[in-house]
Amino acid sequence: MEKIQPPGLKGKIVLLIHGGAGNFKESDLTPVQQKIYEKYLREALEEGYKILDGGGSALDAVEASVKLMEDAPVFNAGKGSVLNKEGHVEMDASIMHGKDLKAGAVAVVRNVKNPISAARMVMEKSNHVLLAGNGADEFAKSIGMEMEEEDYFITPSSFEQWKKANEPASVPKGINKHGTVGAVALDQNGNLAAATSTGGVLNKLPGRVGDSPIIGAGTYADNNSCAVSATGHGEYFIRLTIARSIAALMEYKKISLEQAVNEVIHERLHKSGGTGGVIAVDKNGNFTVSHNTTGMFRAWRTEKRCEIRFFKE
C-alpha cells in the first residue's frame, strides 16, 4: 500500500470502472441478470472508492476494483474467463501509475488467481514491464501470489459458450460483448492510475494476446494528461494505440479529455472498423465514458455522483 495523505489535504477524487462493451441491448438481459451485474459493479466501485476516500492511492484503488471483478464469475476476467480454441484459459492484465509512468503486465497466464495483482508485482518486484505465459505464472508463484487450478476459472457459462462455439455452424449463446474489466482513478494527491484485465477472445488461438496487457493500447496513465482503460476488439486497439492516443491528443493538440476520447473512439476506431470503448479521467478530475457499441457495463463515483449504466444513452 502506498503512503496515505495526511488529513486536511483532501483533493478531488474520481473512480470509474467498466465490465466490457458490446452490441447488446436491454432485451438481451433479464431483470435478474441486470441485478447481478449491478451488484458486482457496485461492489467493485465501492471497494475502490473506499480506498480513495480514505486518502489511499489511485494505484491501490484501481487494483482493488479490478480484483473484485476478476473474482466475479459474470465477467470475462479471472474467474469466468472465456476459453481458447483448445479449451484452456489464458488471461491478460496490466496496470500503470501516472505519477512516474511505471507499468506492469502479464499475458497468457493460466493459474494466477488475480492477474491484475500479478501485473502490479511485475511493475514493483521485477525489472520488466511484461511477462508472459509460463514465465509469468512461475514469477507470480515464486513471490507467493495466490494460485488456482484451471478448473477454478472455468464457469458453467464459459464452458457452455466454448462448446457452442465449436459446434458446426453454431453461434455462441450469451451477451455479445468484448469481455474486459478495468478501472481508472484520480486520488487526493493528484495521481492517476489505470488497470485492465481480461480473459481475451472466445475460441482464440492459443497464445493470442490482445490490447489489455499492452501499455498504450488497452491501458495508459500519465499525470500530465489522463488515465484510460479500454475494452474492445483488441487487434484494432493495438494498431491504433487507443489509450496512448487519447493522452497524446490532449498533450499535443491541447484539447479536452472528452474531445480526445470522441476523436479516437468515434472517428479513428469507427473508421477502422473496430468496436469497443474506454473509460477515462484527466488530471483535473474531468471524466468520460465513450463507446461505439450499443452497450457497455460501466460505473463511476465522485464525491457528488454515483452511477451504474449498461446501455447506450
Side-chain angles (χ1 to χ4, degrees):
M1 301 285 284
E2 295 212 330
K3 183 179 179 181
I4 301 298
Q5 185 184 37
L9 298 176
K10 190 173 183 179
K12 184 180 289 188
I13 56 176
V14 179
L15 176 67
L16 293 86
I17 64 174
H18 72 80
N23 287 316
F24 57 89
K25 306 179 298 296
E26 190 168 359
S27 59
D28 294 323
L29 289 170
T30 68
V32 171
Q33 287 176 317
Q34 290 189 42
K35 287 182 179 180
I36 291 172
Y37 278 108
E38 182 177 350
K39 169 184 178 292
Y40 286 121
L41 286 170
R42 190 176 300 279
E43 288 176 356
L45 191 67
E46 291 302 317
E47 186 72 11
Y49 191 82
K50 179 173 63 177
I51 291 171
L52 294 176
D53 196 41
S57 74
L59 197 64
D60 289 337
V62 296
E63 180 189 9
S65 290
V66 170
K67 277 183 70 174
L68 276 189
M69 289 188 283
E70 288 177 338
D71 292 341
V74 298
F75 300 112
N76 175 19
K79 187 178 182 68
S81 290
V82 297
L83 310 184
N84 69 10
K85 186 69 176 176
E86 295 180 348
H88 294 294
V89 166
E90 292 182 335
M91 301 170 289
D92 307 328
S94 66
I95 193 166
M96 188 169 184
H97 199 189
K99 179 180 180 180
D100 50 21
L101 301 185
K102 288 186 178 179
V106 293
V108 200
V109 294
R110 291 188 176 183
N111 299 113
V112 183
K113 182 181 180 184
N114 292 109
I116 195 62
S117 295
R120 182 168 180 177
M121 289 300 98
V122 171
M123 178 179 73
E124 296 182 344
K125 296 187 178 296
S126 81
N127 296 320
H128 310 301
V129 171
L130 172 63
L131 293 178
N134 186 60
D137 276 312
E138 288 301 316
F139 167 79
K141 186 177 180 180
S142 73
I143 59 173
M145 297 201 69
E146 191 170 358
M147 311 295 285
E148 296 285 353
E149 294 297 322
E150 191 173 26
D151 287 349
Y152 163 83
F153 302 99
I154 302 174
T155 64
S157 176
S158 63
F159 182 69
E160 185 64 23
Q161 282 185 309
W162 177 76
K163 282 204 311 179
K164 289 291 183 182
N166 285 280
E167 290 178 359
S170 70
V171 177
K173 292 182 179 179
I175 300 171
N176 176 22
K177 75 181 183 74
H178 301 291
T180 307
V181 303
V184 295
L186 171 69
D187 65 30
Q188 293 178 15
N189 290 312
N191 292 317
L192 294 166
T196 312
S197 181
T198 187
V201 176
L202 175 64
N203 230 28
K204 63 188 176 181
L205 291 177
R208 180 264 186 185
V209 176
D211 64 303
S212 295
I214 306 300
I215 301 303
T219 304
Y220 196 75
D222 184 345
N223 280 6
N224 292 317
S225 53
C226 63
V228 180
S229 175
T231 173
H233 193 158
E235 283 70 15
Y236 289 92
F237 279 62
I238 293 172
R239 294 174 191 140
L240 298 172
T241 57
I242 291 291
R244 171 57 188 158
S245 290
I246 292 168
L249 285 170
M250 293 182 67
E251 292 174 33
Y252 303 140
K253 291 182 69 173
K254 306 301 180 184
I255 61 176
S256 70
L257 175 67
E258 185 174 8
Q259 289 173 315
V261 166
N262 284 335
E263 179 173 331
V264 169
I265 298 301
H266 295 288
E267 293 183 32
R268 299 185 184 187
L269 180 64
H270 179 71
K271 288 178 181 178
S272 75
T275 58
V278 299
I279 54 174
V281 58
D282 72 15
K283 61 183 181 180
N284 297 314
N286 301 305
F287 64 92
T288 189
V289 178
S290 185
H291 52 103
N292 64 1
T293 54
T294 58
M296 182 176 181
F297 294 108
R298 71 265 193 205
W300 56 88
R301 183 167 178 185
T302 67
E303 291 174 300
K304 297 181 179 180
R305 297 174 63 188
C306 179
E307 297 193 38
I308 298 175
R309 297 181 183 178
F310 299 160
F311 311 107
K312 202 162 190 175
E313 299 303 317

